[in-house]
Amino acid sequence: MGSLGAVLKHPDDFYPLLKLKMAVRHAEKQIPPEPHWGFCYSMLHKVSRSFGLVIQQLGTDLRNAVCIFYLVLRALDTVEDDTSIPTDVKVPILVAFHRHVYDRNWHFSCGTKEYKVLMDQFHLVSTAFLELGKGYQEAIEDITKRMGAGMAKFICKEVETIDDYDEYCHYVAGLVGLGLSKLFHASGKEDLAPDTLSNSMGLFLQKTNIIRDYLEDINEIPKSRMFWPREIWSKYVNKLEDLKYEENSVKAVQCLNDMVTNALNHVEDCLKYMSALQDPAIFRFCAIPQIMAIGTLALCYNNIEVFRGVVKMRRGLTAKVIDRTNKMADIYGAFYDFSCMMKPKINKNDPNAAKTLSRVEAIQKACLDSGLLNRRKSYIIQSEPKYSSTMIIILFIILAIIFAYLSANRQNN
């Protein structure tokens, strides 16, 4: 439930963290009794606990469709990510994956940990898929077919240009945005969003992940995964892996800032997409990951730690985002606050400073022009409150009681 030190430093994180912990436990108890659906929802919580939590608020039919859509694409991604699979084996699987979802007996052993379990038991996902409505099945099949073909293309192709980068991100994430829009429309709860906006929703999330995961991807064994486009990184170093070496720290940060600035190009499209959503549950489902993305970019920008370890939002702030994102005012407020966090970090000597500043100010203007900023309470940027030692001690005692209760409850279960 967040580290004790972080909670003591940010005591106002405590209640959202507690609510998040309770919501996670509740979601884990909502596993359907049927073996195949039970497997799917259990696996969803294992591969993405936050996604497994947010998805719970959707209506049953749409929730089931989104769950299967996510697991199918996660399985497809597992095949693509497994660098131990020979290309001549991997490519045919990627291209034919949309047909495998109709086969109750198909599975393929690859990946590690929970992803290996997903692949070994994929026939259970197929069984659940075949129980979805026809409209949902067709949307999932279409996106899986297009994504598999795109992934196969980039198995044999490097990400050289920014256009290549956008194309790759379209295949692995933009299509997810298109697919979700199709599922929302098939549910009867939303109008079909324009493809350009749906694509940007996916690209913004994917580019954030690619930026954040640089070190993990470059250190992948047996072969590095390289998604940063040569057109950007070659301006700073001779080889992409050179960015992780301490002697290249200045150039690495400049390259990082270039990548973040590129990702910010999609923000206005994302705001337009979310402002058109009508169903409250779908709205929250879409909004929370987008706020997490802009928050992650704000932390990553101008931060050498991206090349040293993992940079991510503290769990307490994540809990606040999940708890308090309910309307467009909350989205505009979060994007405005995180852009304000980023703006002072822009170094005038950075080669992309003018471009970054222009993008940040454009985001701030879009948020201000909404006229909604005064309708929300900022929880991202605020002065540090001063708490007495008594309050901190009381908080520590409450935490100890909660941890003791959860531990005892776990033993009883």
Side-chain angles (χ1 to χ4, degrees):
M1 196 171 70
S3 70
L4 180 59
V7 174
L8 292 177
K9 186 176 181 181
H10 303 276
D12 55 329
D13 287 355
F14 173 72
Y15 183 57
L17 277 168
L18 181 59
K19 288 182 68 176
L20 178 61
K21 182 70 174 178
M22 293 172 65
V24 169
R25 291 175 66 85
H26 176 74
E28 290 173 346
K29 292 178 180 179
Q30 304 304 305
I31 304 298
E34 301 88 350
H36 51 292
W37 283 110
F39 172 82
C40 289
Y41 277 98
S42 296
M43 188 54 57
L44 181 66
H45 289 298
K46 290 177 181 177
V47 299
S48 179
R49 177 171 289 188
S50 59
F51 188 86
L53 175 63
V54 176
I55 197 179
Q56 289 296 327
Q57 59 200 305
L58 299 175
T60 303
D61 288 347
L62 180 58
R63 180 173 69 242
N64 287 343
V66 173
C67 174
I68 299 307
F69 183 51
Y70 183 88
L71 291 178
V72 167
L73 298 188
R74 180 63 79 174
L76 184 66
D77 189 57
T78 299
V79 175
E80 185 212 20
D81 283 349
D82 193 330
T83 54
S84 68
I85 304 174
T87 299
D88 61 339
V89 175
K90 180 181 293 189
V91 169
I93 294 175
L94 294 174
V95 172
F97 210 89
H98 65 287
R99 293 196 293 271
H100 295 320
V101 297
Y102 286 96
D103 185 350
R104 294 178 189 267
N105 298 311
W106 186 87
H107 60 91
F108 179 77
S109 186
C110 67
T112 59
K113 299 179 181 178
E114 60 269 18
Y115 299 103
K116 186 178 187 306
V117 176
L118 173 63
M119 297 306 299
D120 287 341
Q121 302 293 321
F122 189 77
H123 59 282
L124 294 173
V125 179
S126 297
T127 300
F129 167 81
L130 291 170
E131 293 182 3
L132 299 176
K134 189 170 180 59
Y136 291 137
Q137 288 184 7
E138 290 174 347
I140 294 172
E141 178 188 4
D142 174 58
I143 297 302
T144 304
K145 179 179 180 180
R146 293 161 67 181
M147 185 179 292
M151 286 178 169
K153 178 179 179 179
F154 276 90
I155 292 297
C156 308
K157 178 182 178 181
E158 295 288 333
V159 179
E160 297 283 347
T161 67
I162 293 175
D163 285 344
D164 289 341
Y165 183 45
D166 286 342
E167 184 183 11
Y168 172 76
C169 290
H170 165 73
Y171 284 132
V172 301
L175 286 173
V176 179
L178 269 67
L180 286 172
S181 293
K182 287 187 175 187
L183 295 179
F184 299 155
H185 181 61
S187 74
K189 297 180 182 297
E190 299 288 350
D191 296 329
L192 186 60
D195 284 356
T196 53
L197 300 186
S198 300
N199 188 59
S200 283
M201 289 283 284
L203 262 64
F204 186 57
L205 298 181
Q206 182 65 21
K207 289 185 176 182
T208 298
N209 291 341
I210 286 174
I211 291 167
R212 181 199 62 199
D213 295 342
Y214 164 84
L215 193 62
E216 177 185 339
D217 289 337
I218 207 69
N219 288 336
E220 179 72 18
I221 296 173
K223 182 182 178 183
S224 295
R225 293 182 292 175
M226 296 184 284
F227 304 117
W228 291 32
R230 182 184 297 271
E231 184 177 341
I232 289 180
W233 62 256
S234 64
K235 293 186 287 185
Y236 307 96
V237 287
N238 294 322
K239 294 184 293 185
L240 181 57
E241 57 265 34
D242 291 346
L243 294 172
K244 69 180 181 179
Y245 300 125
E246 191 168 348
E247 61 267 25
N248 296 321
S249 293
V250 173
K251 291 294 185 181
V253 169
Q254 291 175 348
C255 183
L256 168 66
N257 293 346
D258 204 340
M259 291 287 291
V260 172
T261 303
N262 173 275
L264 295 176
N265 287 326
H266 304 287
V267 168
E268 282 109 323
D269 276 355
C270 294
L271 294 175
K272 288 178 185 176
Y273 181 99
M274 290 183 285
S275 67
L277 294 172
Q278 303 167 55
D279 183 81
I282 292 175
F283 174 82
R284 277 175 48 80
F285 173 80
C286 294
I288 290 169
Q290 297 292 328
I291 293 177
M292 297 291 293
I294 187 68
T296 300
L297 289 180
L299 291 174
C300 288
Y301 183 79
N302 211 46
N303 187 352
I304 189 62
E305 291 304 312
V306 171
F307 304 97
R308 304 289 181 264
V310 179
V311 175
K312 60 181 180 180
M313 290 169 56
R314 72 177 190 275
R315 189 159 176 78
L317 185 51
T318 298
K320 286 181 179 178
V321 170
I322 293 173
D323 182 44
R324 303 178 186 182
T325 301
N326 297 294
K327 54 189 183 299
M328 271 309 295
D330 301 321
I331 291 180
Y332 284 124
F335 273 76
Y336 184 80
D337 284 349
F338 280 124
S339 61
C340 286
M341 183 187 298
M342 200 180 303
K343 191 172 182 179
K345 295 166 67 176
I346 300 174
N347 186 331
K348 64 180 181 180
N349 295 320
D350 186 277
N352 293 283
K355 190 186 299 184
T356 308
L357 183 61
S358 175
R359 293 303 317 135
V360 168
E361 290 180 342
I363 294 168
Q364 292 177 326
K365 183 177 186 302
C367 296
L368 288 168
D369 289 350
S370 73
L372 297 175
L373 288 188
N374 61 345
R375 300 186 190 179
R376 54 91 204 190
K377 179 181 178 181
S378 174
Y379 56 88
I380 295 167
I381 297 180
Q382 54 192 358
S383 58
E384 288 293 326
K386 294 183 179 178
Y387 295 91
S388 67
S389 58
T390 301
M391 182 176 291
I392 291 176
I393 292 171
I394 292 172
L395 178 60
F396 181 84
I397 293 172
I398 293 173
L399 281 170
I401 293 171
I402 291 171
F403 287 144
Y405 168 78
L406 292 176
S407 297
N409 198 37
R410 189 179 299 114
Q411 289 174 1
N412 292 334
N413 292 336

